[in-house]
Amino acid sequence: MVELAPLASYGGLSLFAAYGGLGLVVGFVAGLLGVGGGLIIVPVLIMLLHTHGQAVGMEPQLALGTSLATILFTSLSSVRAHHRRGAVEWPLVRRIAPGIVLGTLAGAALAARMPATVLKVFFVVFLFYAAVQMWLDFKPAPHRGLPGRTGTSLAGGVIGVVSSWVGIGGGTLSVPFMLWHNVPLHRAIATSAAIGFPIAFAGAVGYVLGGWTVSGLPAGSLGFVYLPALAGIVLGSVLTAPLGARTAHRLPVRPLKRVFALLLFTLALRMVWTF
C-alpha cells in the first residue's frame, strides 16, 4: 500500500530532480530513436536506489515495476500518432494481446519472488543483446507469414515474460518477430507501440500486486511501483520527447543508434561492476 510521508522520506528534492533528469534523457531518446526508455530507466533506477539505500535487496523489482508503469503514460501519444497514420495492425494486436497479458502477469509474479541477483544477471544479458541489435541495426529478413492464433499467443507469452523481466514495452522483441513474419517495418514499429500498452498495463498491475505486502519498500511505493520516480520520469519525458522527435528529422539515424548502443554497453558494464 502507499505510505504518505514528507518529501525527505522520498529522498528529498535532489533525488526527485534526478528522477526528472532521467525522464528528460528517456523522453529525448524515445523521440529521437523511437525506442522505449526501459533499458535506460531500469539500470539507472537500480543505481539510484542502491546509492540511497532504498529497497535494499529489492532494487530490481522496484525499478522494473516503475519502468513498466512509466510506459503506461509514455506509450499513449505514440500509439495515437501511429493510429492516425493507419499503420497499426489492430487484428494482430488483438490476436497477440491475450498471450502478452498472461505472459507479462506471470513474469511479474515470478520476478516478485526471484533473488535480485538473478534479475540483474538476466537484465545485463538482455542489455548486451539489445546493444548489439542496435549497433548492427539488425532487421531479420521476412521468411514466412504470421502463425495462427495459438502460435501468435505463444509468441506473445514469451514477449510478455521477457518484457516483464527487463521493464520494456517489448519492441526489442516484437519488431524482429513481426519482420520475420513478413510485416513491413513501418507497420511492425507502429504495431509494437500498440502492443506496448498491454505489456505496460499487465506488468504494472503484476508488480503492484507482487509487492503489495512486501515490507522494507520506501515511502511512496505502490507495491513494486515507486511513485516519486514514476512522477519525475513521466514529467521529464513529456518535455523532451517532442524535441527528440524534431531532432530525428535533422540528424542521420544510423550514427545515433550506435551512440545509443554504446550507452547500453556502458550501463551493462556498470551493472556488472556493481555485482
Side-chain angles (χ1 to χ4, degrees), residues 22 26-27 29-30 35-43 67 70-71 74 167-169 260:
L22 174 57
V26 166
V29 170
V35 298
L39 294 177
I40 300 175
I41 292 172
V42 173
S67 175
T70 64
I71 298 170
T74 57
I168 63 172
F260 184 62

Side-chain angles (χ1 to χ4, degrees), residues 70-107:
T70 64
I71 298 170
L72 276 173
F73 298 91
T74 57
S75 68
L76 289 175
S77 60
S78 175
V79 174
R80 283 198 301 267
H82 286 300
H83 176 68
R84 282 197 298 268
R85 293 179 174 87
V88 179
E89 295 280 356
W90 288 111
L92 174 55
V93 174
R94 288 190 288 271
R95 276 169 55 187
I96 203 171
I100 287 280
V101 170
L102 290 175
T104 308
L105 283 171

Side-chain angles (χ1 to χ4, degrees), residues 87-146:
V88 179
E89 295 280 356
W90 288 111
L92 174 55
V93 174
R94 288 190 288 271
R95 276 169 55 187
I96 203 171
I100 287 280
V101 170
L102 290 175
T104 308
L105 283 171
L110 288 170
R113 293 162 176 76
M114 281 185 186
T117 303
V118 173
L119 279 175
K120 282 183 180 180
V121 169
F122 187 88
F123 184 84
V124 167
V125 170
F126 189 86
L127 207 55
F128 279 121
Y129 157 77
V132 171
Q133 185 190 70
M134 186 70 69
W135 181 270
L136 298 177
D137 198 17
F138 174 69
K139 296 183 182 71
H143 281 72
R144 64 195 71 185
L146 285 163

Side-chain angles (χ1 to χ4, degrees), residues 195-224:
I195 289 171
F197 188 81
I199 288 176
F201 179 79
V205 169
Y207 277 104
V208 167
L209 295 176
W212 191 257
T213 58
V214 173
S215 59
L217 296 174
S221 297
L222 182 65
F224 283 128

